């Protein structure tokens, strides 16, 4: 049975040991190892194929465009390979193929996990290509160093470089491992939070605010736990963070009041549901629909396509007009003039009936026509009507109503009066004969 040192060398392989490894790779047992390794890869491929179905989600980190492109395939292959290696070690077969294959699978899993998660969290980032190459080179170099036995020796040397930070003794190896642990934990935290958010918001039509606050809380909680785990991996005593927490509290109290107020206001808005995603609101003379509520700000999108980023504190401290808090009904009005002498008792019901036939106008409350002004040129009528879909635009609804009113007036032979002005011309003054003589002499 192979010893532990043969599986995990504590020093670099000599030329004789490399020759022995090459010889073992040429033995018939290596073919059995290779066959078992191929079975592990095939089993992982089959499991991933059954789980992903015919078409995988494009945003998923576990599945790619093909079966072997995601993170799940190398992880399953690594798990199956570790189980197969333990089985071969129990039947006293010298390990050669698995000694090379397992570090390669570990490197492949690390590369896929890092690239996939960062690609989902930071899509279309210019630095993604550089990060992908850096992680790939580091993973492959680490696997080669581990196979030839150099990595354990390097780790022992790094463990010997120590210095004291407060009451803790920290080595260079602890810092490097802590940095890798922090990166790995943050990647896993971002992955889990992204998966949770997609699961909560996917296909949701109600309780969007509650789902959004749960997604934000889960991301903050996962990142906090991940950071604490990373600090523990480095060897930093977490009790020392109490002083840091006090300093952060003082900083928030003085220098970050607005930022803290916006964050707290964001959670208050989501919790009390006074404003919800999809509501039509008016804030500081800007009217639009709420498209997103973040922890610091809220995004409003107007019907013209413009977007406004409103701090959450403004939504708490200032007046906000919400057109869809109780329901989506919205009252609109338009004005028209008719000539003096028109029979309004006959005309008003006919105009209301014409407006009610417009498709977007609600039958209840019914449209109404009121006499609101005695204008210089005619009688001023105000037509009030309700719509139930203000998100589709108010200008188009008002235009359809105006066209319906114009068609009804033309059909009923009712004139819309033009501006009229009466001009009085006075007769010229007669000049007396005496005044005429004086004017003539002066000339």
């Amino acid at each position: 049975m192979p010893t532990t040192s043969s599986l995990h060398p504590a020093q670099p392989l000599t030329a004789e040991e490399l020759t022995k490894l090459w010889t073992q790779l040429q033995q018939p047992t290596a073919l059995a190892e290779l066959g078992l390794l191929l079975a592990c890869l095939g089993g992982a491929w089959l499991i991933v194929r059954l789980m992903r179905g015919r078409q995988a989600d494009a945003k998923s980190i576990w599945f790619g465009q093909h079966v072997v492109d995601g993170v799940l395939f190398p992880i399953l292959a690594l798990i199956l390979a570790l189980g197969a290696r333990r089985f071969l070690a129990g039947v006293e077969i010298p390990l050669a193929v698995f000694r090379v294959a397992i570090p390669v699978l570990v490197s492949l899993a690390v590369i896929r996990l890092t690239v996939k998660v960062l690609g989902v969290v930071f899509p279309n980032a210019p630095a993604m290509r550089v990060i992908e190459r850096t992680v790939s080179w580091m993973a492959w170099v680490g696997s080669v160093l581990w196979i030839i036995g150099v990595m354990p020796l390097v780790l022992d040397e790094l463990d010997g470089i120590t210095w004291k930070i407060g009451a803790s003794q920290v080595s260079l190896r602890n810092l490097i491992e802590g940095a890798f642990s922090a990166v790995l934990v943050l990647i896993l935290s971002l992955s889990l939070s992204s998966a949770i958010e997609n699961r909560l918001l996917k296909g949701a039509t109600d309780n969007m605010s509650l789902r959004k606050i749960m997604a934000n809380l889960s991301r903050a909680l996962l990142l906090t736990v991940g950071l604490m785990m990373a600090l523990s991996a480095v060897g930093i005593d977490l009790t020392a963070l109490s002083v840091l927490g006090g300093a952060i509290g003082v900083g928030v109290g003085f220098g970050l009041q607005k930022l803290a107020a916006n964050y707290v206001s964001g959670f208050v808005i989501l919790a009390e549901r006074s404003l919800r995603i999809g509501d039509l609101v008016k804030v500081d003379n800007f009217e639009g629909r709420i498209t997103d509520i973040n922890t610091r700000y809220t995004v409003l999108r107007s019907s013209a396509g413009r977007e406004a980023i409103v701090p959450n504190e403004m939504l708490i401290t200032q007046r906000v007009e919400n057109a869809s808090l109780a329901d989506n009904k919205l009252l609109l009005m338009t004005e028209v003039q008719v000539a003096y002498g028109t029979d309004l008792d006959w005309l008003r019901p006919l105009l209301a009936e014409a407006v009610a036939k417009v498709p977007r106008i609600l039958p209840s409350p019914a449209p109404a026509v009121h006499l609101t002004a005695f204008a210089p040129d005619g009688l001023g009528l105000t037509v009030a009507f309700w719509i139930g879909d203000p998100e589709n635009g108010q200008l188009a609804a008002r235009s359809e109503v105006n066209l319906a009113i114009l068609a009804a007036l033309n059909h009923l032979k009712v004139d819309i009066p033009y501006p009229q002005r009466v001009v009085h011309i006075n007769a010229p003054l007669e000049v007396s004969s005496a005044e005429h003589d004086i004017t003539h002499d002066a000339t």
Side-chain angles (χ1 to χ4, degrees):
M1 179 176 180
T3 61
T4 306
S5 61
S6 65
L7 296 178
H8 304 283
Q11 58 184 1
L13 296 179
T14 62
E16 182 180 354
E17 289 173 333
L18 289 175
T19 304
K20 182 178 179 181
L21 178 61
W22 176 252
T23 303
Q24 290 177 349
L25 290 174
Q26 296 177 349
Q27 297 296 324
T29 55
L31 295 177
E33 288 186 81
L34 182 60
L36 190 56
L37 178 62
L38 293 177
C40 294
L41 297 177
W45 185 92
L46 182 60
I47 294 174
V48 175
R49 178 64 178 83
L50 294 175
M51 293 180 64
R52 75 186 293 270
R54 293 182 177 271
Q55 186 68 29
D57 187 5
K59 297 182 179 179
S60 175
I61 66 172
W62 301 105
F63 308 103
Q65 295 181 354
H66 305 285
V67 178
V68 298
D69 290 348
V71 180
L72 189 59
F73 174 76
I75 291 179
L76 287 178
L78 178 60
I79 294 174
L80 295 177
L82 290 174
R85 188 185 70 171
R86 182 174 292 274
F87 170 75
L88 292 178
V91 296
E92 299 184 358
I93 294 179
L95 299 177
V97 176
F98 279 94
R99 185 174 180 178
V100 177
I102 288 181
V104 172
L105 291 176
V106 171
S107 301
L108 183 60
V110 171
I111 294 172
R112 290 284 172 80
L113 180 63
T114 305
V115 173
K116 282 287 186 179
V117 172
L118 294 180
V120 172
V121 178
F122 306 105
N124 301 324
M128 281 303 303
R129 190 64 178 173
V130 178
I131 295 176
E132 180 180 354
R133 292 180 179 178
T134 303
V135 172
S136 301
W137 276 104
M138 293 178 63
W140 292 126
V141 170
S143 63
V144 172
L145 293 178
W146 186 265
I147 292 173
I148 65 177
V150 175
M151 184 62 72
L153 181 61
V154 173
L155 295 178
D156 291 339
E157 292 296 330
L158 294 177
D159 204 12
I161 304 174
T162 61
W163 58 87
K164 194 172 183 180
I165 301 178
S168 304
Q169 192 78 14
V170 181
S171 65
L172 184 57
R173 176 179 178 178
N174 294 137
L175 292 180
I176 296 176
E177 290 180 349
F180 277 105
S181 300
V183 172
L184 181 61
V185 168
L186 290 178
I187 288 175
L188 292 177
S189 300
L190 291 174
S191 172
L192 289 176
S193 63
S194 179
I196 292 174
E197 184 174 3
N198 290 334
R199 177 67 65 178
L200 289 175
L201 301 181
K202 182 179 181 180
T205 56
D206 56 351
N207 295 329
M208 282 291 294
S209 299
L210 183 60
R211 292 170 182 265
K212 189 67 176 180
I213 191 174
M214 292 301 297
N216 292 337
L217 285 176
S218 64
R219 172 168 296 183
L221 180 61
L222 287 172
L223 290 177
T224 302
V225 173
L227 181 60
M228 295 178 64
M229 293 176 61
L231 292 176
S232 299
V234 178
I236 298 177
D237 189 5
L238 295 181
T239 57
L241 297 179
S242 58
V243 179
L244 179 62
I248 293 176
V250 173
V252 170
F254 287 97
L256 302 177
Q257 293 183 6
K258 291 294 183 181
L259 184 62
N262 286 323
Y263 271 92
V264 174
S265 300
F267 284 105
V268 170
I269 291 172
L270 291 171
E272 69 181 7
R273 302 184 65 188
S274 57
L275 298 175
R276 300 162 297 184
I277 296 177
D279 285 355
L280 182 64
V281 300
K282 184 177 182 180
V283 182
D284 195 19
N285 294 326
F286 186 90
E287 185 175 1
R289 184 163 297 278
I290 298 177
T291 58
D292 195 9
I293 302 177
N294 293 305
T295 53
R296 189 185 64 84
Y297 61 87
T298 297
V299 180
L300 304 182
R301 182 178 178 84
S302 68
S303 57
R306 295 180 300 138
E307 291 184 336
I309 298 177
V310 182
N312 290 327
E313 184 187 13
M314 181 181 294
L315 301 177
I316 294 293
T317 58
Q318 296 187 8
R319 188 187 74 173
V320 178
E321 298 181 12
N322 193 339
S324 54
L325 180 60
D327 53 49
N328 289 331
K329 295 179 181 179
L330 183 64
L331 175 64
L332 298 179
M333 297 182 183
T334 187
E335 296 179 354
V336 66
Q337 287 188 5
V338 295
Y340 281 100
T342 304
D343 187 359
L344 296 183
D345 293 334
W346 164 74
L347 178 62
R348 288 170 56 199
L350 296 177
L351 288 182
E353 182 181 356
V355 172
K357 294 179 181 180
V358 177
R360 292 182 58 188
I361 305 306
L362 295 178
S364 179
V369 181
H370 304 280
L371 175 62
T372 56
F374 295 97
D377 305 316
L379 300 173
L381 301 179
T382 299
V383 182
F385 54 93
W386 294 79
I387 60 174
D389 55 346
E391 66 276 4
N392 294 330
Q394 304 175 23
L395 186 61
R398 186 176 283 109
S399 174
E400 293 176 4
V401 169
N402 288 335
L403 291 175
I405 293 174
L406 180 61
L409 293 177
N410 292 334
H411 178 71
L412 298 173
K413 308 298 182 181
V414 177
D415 295 331
I416 299 177
Y418 293 99
Q420 298 179 7
R421 299 292 182 268
V422 178
V423 180
H424 298 280
I425 302 176
N426 295 325
L429 297 176
E430 295 182 358
V431 182
S432 61
S433 59
E435 292 178 350
H436 179 75
D437 295 339
I438 294 173
T439 305
H440 180 72
D441 294 340
T443 305

